[in-house]
Amino acid sequence: MFKTEGKKIRVLIVDDSSMMRHLLKDLLTTDPEIEVVGVAVDPYDAREKLVSLRPDVMTLDVEMPRMDGVTFLEKVMKHFPTRTVIISSLTPEGSQLSLRALAAGAIDVIAKPKLDIHRGIRDMAEQITSRVKVAATARVMGPSQKVAQTLFKATTRVLETTHKVVAVASSTGGTEALKTFLLGMPKECPGILIVQHMPPLFTRAYADHLKSLTGFDVREAQQGDRVGPGSVLLAPGGSHMELARTGSYYTVQIHQQEPLHGVRPAADYLFKSVAQAAGSNAIGVVLTGMGKDGAEGLLAMRRSGALTLAQDEETCVVFGMPKEAIRIEAVEKVLPLQAIAGAIITHLGGRSEDKAA
């Protein structure tokens, strides 16, 4: 894993827009820990510079002429794995391409400003530089390095899912980790609530992607949605999600209070509400991600009697959120990503049979 101590983070900017290249270069070079070693106008230009400059991080637009960024990234991750941050337009097409890029091995995705791009980029300066720095420390997951998925099938005994709920938090690297997690869960599992740090619009496209991939009823959550077995609700980008008890069933509440830990949605809002509404009937999971969001909420869940799990360092792209949760003793079990679904199944009363994918 790349370490930044004693050296600058070398960045290559790839974008077909001359304005964006200049804006990003000016922004990144203001940080004393970052050095922009080159800019590229398209994937063909970038290919040559990747080999000659060997950057620590590449920022990549996905909507470009001649070759789109996703096709290029797939080739890069196969032959010359590079830590990559996607900087994409906030459009349905850009969202779909960005999700494909994350599947191909990109570390993170940042949405370009919608309107005044000069002012927007300046306002995002801290966000962009911090996420480039995180990417520089992330584990590169090339095609041969991705975590092998292990599918579990509940057998013999029916899972005890009545009034149960599973709450999951993830950030950097989470889009792929969540796929592995959901593919390991049986369809009769309790309702699952997910906070994945993503911008607006991306979450809707990601929910549709997970639905088509996993077979679960995955949806971007809306105010008052009911939580039940087999349902998966994803917190909308730009909004917090909380769990509420309504009579004999659970619903979600969506609101836009101030960001927490610099993010919205924030997992701490969800976890603390789950601790209050579900108590020992809940299971909390913290997956790969930067920062400390979810740690305090997971501790509240553990104190309320919930089972609390965290992804181990070896299988994390960024061991930030799990590390903080472990540090404050919010975690009961630390497990490899591919073992988390099985632990939940066992806890719920089912037996699992491993099936390597």
Side-chain angles (χ1 to χ4, degrees):
M1 192 175 295
F2 178 79
K3 300 296 182 183
T4 61
E5 293 88 341
K7 61 172 292 188
K8 290 189 175 184
I9 300 167
R10 294 162 50 81
V11 178
L12 173 67
I13 297 169
V14 184
D15 199 300
D16 65 307
S17 165
S18 174
M19 178 177 64
M20 276 300 300
R21 292 195 302 273
H22 283 94
L23 286 172
L24 288 173
K25 183 176 181 179
D26 289 345
L27 181 155
L28 291 171
T29 52
T30 60
D31 192 296
E33 297 179 31
I34 297 175
E35 176 187 4
V36 176
V37 295
V39 296
V41 300
D42 61 30
Y44 294 94
D45 186 17
R47 178 182 59 192
E48 304 302 321
K49 290 177 178 175
L50 275 177
V51 175
S52 63
L53 298 173
R54 296 185 176 271
D56 302 312
V57 178
M58 172 173 65
T59 69
L60 178 65
D61 188 16
V62 294
E63 297 179 276
M64 292 184 289
R66 300 180 68 192
M67 181 190 297
D68 67 81
V70 177
T71 302
F72 173 58
L73 184 61
E74 289 170 345
K75 296 177 183 294
V76 168
M77 297 308 289
K78 183 177 180 180
H79 301 290
F80 201 82
T82 303
R83 295 171 179 84
T84 301
V85 175
I86 299 299
I87 302 182
S88 173
S89 299
L90 195 62
T91 64
E93 294 79 10
S95 299
Q96 293 291 345
L97 286 171
S98 296
L99 292 174
R100 283 181 52 206
L102 287 167
I107 301 296
D108 204 352
V109 57
I110 300 172
K112 289 180 179 178
K114 281 184 178 180
L115 301 175
D116 185 342
I117 196 162
H118 287 85
R119 180 176 178 180
I121 288 292
R122 287 196 299 271
D123 291 345
M124 295 171 63
E126 183 179 354
Q127 178 190 162
I128 293 172
T129 54
S130 66
R131 286 161 81 169
V132 166
K133 290 178 183 179
V134 168
T137 66
R139 190 181 305 276
V140 182
M141 294 290 188
S144 62
Q145 297 171 297
K146 288 193 176 182
V147 176
Q149 294 174 352
T150 302
L151 304 187
F152 294 90
K153 182 180 180 182
T155 60
T156 308
R157 294 193 299 177
V158 176
L159 293 178
E160 299 171 3
T161 60
T162 305
H163 301 306
K164 303 283 188 180
V165 63
V166 179
V168 184
S170 56
S171 184
T172 313
T175 54
E176 292 303 296
L178 286 168
K179 294 178 186 178
T180 298
F181 170 70
L182 288 177
L183 285 169
M185 294 294 288
K187 298 302 182 288
E188 64 269 30
C189 69
I192 299 174
L193 303 175
I194 297 173
V195 167
Q196 162 68 35
H197 297 157
M198 297 182 83
L201 189 63
F202 281 82
T203 46
R204 181 170 297 179
Y206 182 58
D208 292 340
H209 176 64
L210 285 179
K211 183 175 183 177
S212 65
L213 179 70
T214 66
F216 277 101
D217 179 22
V218 186
R219 289 176 288 118
E220 185 183 61
Q222 297 183 21
Q223 174 68 22
D225 275 348
R226 190 165 174 170
V227 182
S231 68
V232 179
L233 296 177
L234 186 68
S239 298
H240 297 299
M241 177 173 70
E242 297 190 37
L243 182 71
R245 188 70 179 263
T246 305
S248 61
Y249 56 88
Y250 298 119
T251 60
V252 294
Q253 306 297 311
I254 307 298
H255 62 82
Q256 291 189 314
Q257 292 188 34
E258 289 300 309
L260 186 60
H261 310 301
V263 294
R264 188 172 61 195
D268 270 333
Y269 269 112
L270 174 63
F271 284 172
K272 289 177 181 179
S273 69
V274 170
Q276 183 175 4
S280 60
N281 282 323
I283 298 168
V285 181
V286 173
L287 301 177
T288 175
M290 61 180 281
K292 62 180 183 178
D293 184 32
E296 292 180 1
L298 196 71
L299 180 60
M301 289 185 65
R302 187 175 189 185
R303 287 173 174 170
S304 72
L307 172 68
T308 57
L309 309 173
Q311 184 178 348
D312 70 0
E313 183 174 7
E314 182 64 27
T315 60
C316 279
V317 172
V318 176
F319 190 57
M321 288 162 54
K323 182 179 181 179
E324 179 65 16
I326 294 166
R327 186 189 69 80
I328 66 172
E329 300 183 350
V331 180
E332 185 175 338
K333 294 181 181 180
V334 180
L335 299 168
L337 173 60
Q338 62 270 32
I340 291 175
I344 292 174
I345 291 169
T346 300
H347 177 76
L348 292 171
R351 294 191 303 177
S352 61
E353 296 177 347
D354 296 359
K355 292 191 175 184

